[in-house]
Amino acid sequence: MNYNALTIHELKDLLARGELTPLQITEDVFSRIDAVEEKIGAYITISREQALRQAEEAGRQLDSGKAGVLCGIPLAIKDVICTKGVRTTAGSKILEPFIPPYDAAVIEKLREAGAIIIGKASMDEFAMGSANENCAYGIPKNPWNLDYICGGSSGGSAAAVVADECIASLGSDTGGSIRQPASHCGIVGLKPTYGRVSRFGLLAYASSLDQIGPLAKDVRDCAVMLNVISGYDRRDSTSVKQVVPDYCAALTDGLQGMTLGIAKEYFAEGLDPEVEAAVKYGVEKLKEAGATIREVSLPHTEYGVAAYYIIAPAEASSNLARYDGVKYGMRDMDAGSLIDMYKQTRSQGFGAEVKRRIIMGTYVLSSGYYDAYYKKASQVRTLIVEDYKKAFAQCDALLSPVTPTPAWKIGEKSHDPLSVYLSDVLTIPANLAGIPGLSVPCGISKAGLPIGLQIQAAHFEEEKLLRVGFNLEQRLEMAGCKPAL
Amino acid sequence: MNISIEEVVKVARLARLDLSGQEAEEITEQLDRILGYVAKLNEIDTKDVAPTTHALSVHNAFREDVVQPSLSQQEALANGPWQNGEAFVVPKII
C-alpha cells in the first residue's frame, strides 16, 4: 500500500483504527521522496531527522489519546514560512544561511495539531514569479511532464503534493501563487481571505496582498488544513477577529439555492480553447448539482495586472530593504564601506526578477512618479473591489479559469517577464480585493497537462468556495487522476 | 522611452543595488515594456476614486505597553553574518 498517495482524511481513518502509525506514514513519504525527488526538485531543504522525531512523538500522542487534528500527517512548507531551527531561504541566495529562531504562527498551529514537517518547498525567489523559474536552488519540474513548469510561486508546494512527496502543503498567494501552481499540477489550492490566516513568520513580499493557504489532494483536505491554520493572531495586526467555522461541516451540502456567477471578462481573448472547454464543462456539472448560473460583469478585470505590477513591487521594494547583510543572511565580507557592503550584498544575493521588482517598486514610489503610478494603481484597486461588491450582490460565488493556458515549457517565457506577468490576469484581482479563491482540477489538456477551475467568493466566505469545490470534485470524478512518475 | 538607463541606474543606487552594464541595459528594456503596459491604467478616469491600500478596513492595532516574551539577545544575534556576542558588527561609518 502506498500511504503517501492517500489524503489526510483517509490517513486519519487508518490512524484512528490503529492500522497505521505516524512513523510508517512518514517513512513511506520519505521512500517516495527518495524515489522521485531527484526528477522533480520540489524541496529546497528536507528535514528528515526532525520529521522522524516528530513522527515518533505523534505516535506517542496517538497512543495517549491526545492526538491533534493533523496528528501524524507529513506536510511540506513553502520556504518563505519560518520554521524554527530549519533553514528558511525564500528561494533566495541572500537567505542561504538563515535559520529562523522562531516558528511562524501557522507552523505553531500545525505543530500543535500534530503535523509532521517533511521539508521546505521550492518557490520563486521571495515569491516573485508565476512559473517557479526564479529560484536560486533550481527549478522544480511539473510531475505531469518534466519539461513543463509547475507554476509559481508556490511551485514546490504543488509539485510535492501531486508527486506524493507529502500529503498536503502550505503555500503563500500574493497574485495567484497558490491557485496557479495548484491548477498547473492538478491539485486543490486555496487562497484564504486577507486576514483569515496570520502572516506572522511569513517573509513579506507585498504585505497588503500576501496570504498563506493550503494545497491539498482534495477539497476536504483543504478544508481540514484551513480549520487548523485560520484565526486571529495578535502578532499580525492585519489578522481579523472573526469566528472560524468548521470548514468541513458544509462540504457535502448540495448547491440548491446557490447562484454562481460567470463573468465574460474571465473568458476574454487569449484564453486557451481547451481551458475554456474544461471550465465550461465544470460549470455544467455545477448546474447539474443544483446551482443557478448567472452572467455577471467585472469590467475592470483587465486592469488588475497593471495595478498589481505597480502595487506589489512598491510594497516589495520597501519590505526587501531589510536584507542588508547585517541581521541575517549572507554578507559580502570584503566590502570596505557600509554602503558598499549593502550594495554588494544585495547585488550578489538577489536574483534578476527580485532586482527588477525592487527597482520597479522604488521607481513608482519615487518623487514625481508616485501619483502617476502608485496612487493611480491604488485607485484602480478600489474599482476592482467595487466590481466584486456588485458581482457578489448578484451571486454567491464566481466561476472562471485559474490561468489562461495550461503550464508552459520551462524556459519558454523566461526572456520575457511581461508575458509571464500577464498569465496572472485571472488570479490577481482576488488579491487586490482581499477575497478568497479556490482552484479545483477540472480537466486535463490533450498534451496531458492539468486545468483548474477557480471559484471566488466574498470576504470570509471560504465555506461557500469549499462547498462548490467539493460538489465539482464529486461530479468530475477526477480524484485519483495522477501523473505517471 | 518610458524610462532611461540613467534613471534605472539612479533608482538602483537608491535601492542599494549595483547593476552591471548589461544588467542595467536589460532591466531598462524590460521596465520600459512593463511601464508601457501599466500605462493602460490611464484609460480609466479615476478623478473621484479614493485609493485602496488595504482590502479590508484596518485600524491601528494597539496593545498595552507590557513586556512580552521575546528572543534572547543570543537568539536575536545568532543569524548575524558578523556579530560579537553583544551586537551586530558593520563596517566603520564615521
Side-chain angles (χ1 to χ4, degrees), chain A residues 40-44 76-81 90 120-135 140-141 143 149-162 166 168-185 187-191 202 205 210-216 424 431:
Chain A
I40 310 285
Y43 286 98
I44 292 174
I77 307 296
K78 187 178 185 179
D79 207 20
V80 72
I81 299 171
K120 305 302 293 288
S122 180
M123 56 180 287
D124 282 298
E125 186 176 358
F126 286 105
M128 298 180 190
S130 313
N132 214 141
E133 292 183 291
N134 307 325
C135 180
K141 315 292 190 299
I149 58 146
C150 49
S153 65
S154 312
S157 298
V161 170
V162 75
C166 64
S169 65
L170 286 186
S172 67
D173 190 316
T174 307
S177 284
I178 288 172
R179 292 160 286 159
Q180 199 249 31
S183 175
H184 287 327
C185 289
I187 58 164
V188 180
L190 172 69
K191 179 203 103 69
L202 171 72
Y205 157 25
D210 296 341
Q211 187 64 192
I212 297 172
L215 296 95
D424 299 339
N431 298 82

Side-chain angles (χ1 to χ4, degrees), chain A residues 105-124:
Chain A
V106 289
I107 300 297
E108 290 175 350
K109 284 172 179 273
L110 291 179
R111 291 196 202 280
E112 209 178 286
I116 290 154
I117 292 165
I118 292 287
K120 305 302 293 288
S122 180
M123 56 180 287
D124 282 298

Side-chain angles (χ1 to χ4, degrees), chain A residues 368-384:
Chain A
Y369 296 103
Y370 178 88
D371 280 0
Y373 291 113
Y374 186 76
K375 187 176 169 207
K376 183 80 185 179
S378 304
Q379 288 171 312
V380 172
R381 187 174 183 182
T382 303
L383 298 175
I384 288 170

Side-chain angles (χ1 to χ4, degrees), chain A residues 20 37 95 103 143 181 189 276 317 320-321 325 332 336 364 380 398 402 450 468:
Chain A
L20 191 60
E37 173 62 6
L95 281 178
D103 274 330
E276 180 168 1
S317 70
L320 271 61
D332 182 345
V364 298
V380 172
L398 290 161
V402 182
V468 175

Side-chain angles (χ1 to χ4, degrees), chain A residues 250-318:
Chain A
L251 285 182
T252 50
D253 291 356
L255 299 182
Q256 283 77 14
M258 203 180 246
T259 305
L260 302 176
I262 306 281
K264 60 178 182 299
E265 292 85 359
Y266 286 145
F267 294 84
E269 206 187 315
L271 182 61
D272 180 279
E274 281 193 89
V275 172
E276 180 168 1
V279 171
K280 292 209 161 145
Y281 182 73
V283 173
E284 278 310 305
K285 290 285 161 188
L286 290 168
K287 212 166 150 183
E288 284 172 20
T292 305
I293 307 297
R294 177 167 188 176
E295 207 167 295
V296 296
S297 175
L298 294 125
H300 297 94
T301 300
E302 63 167 310
Y303 299 101
V305 172
Y308 176 88
Y309 280 98
I310 292 170
I311 293 167
E315 294 186 20
S317 70
S318 165

Side-chain angles (χ1 to χ4, degrees), chain A residues 439-454:
Chain A
S439 173
V440 181
C442 73
I444 307 273
S445 75
K446 287 194 198 83
L449 296 163
I451 297 168
L453 185 149
Q454 177 172 235

Side-chain angles (χ1 to χ4, degrees), chain A residues 174-231:
Chain A
T174 307
S177 284
I178 288 172
R179 292 160 286 159
Q180 199 249 31
S183 175
H184 287 327
C185 289
I187 58 164
V188 180
L190 172 69
K191 179 203 103 69
T193 305
Y194 184 82
R196 174 80 295 181
V197 177
S198 170
R199 293 182 293 112
F200 176 77
L202 171 72
L203 306 190
Y205 157 25
S207 308
S208 82
L209 306 165
D210 296 341
Q211 187 64 192
I212 297 172
L215 296 95
K217 292 178 188 182
D218 67 11
V219 174
R220 184 180 292 277
D221 275 9
C222 213
V224 171
M225 292 282 285
L226 188 63
N227 276 346
V228 173
I229 63 171
S230 293

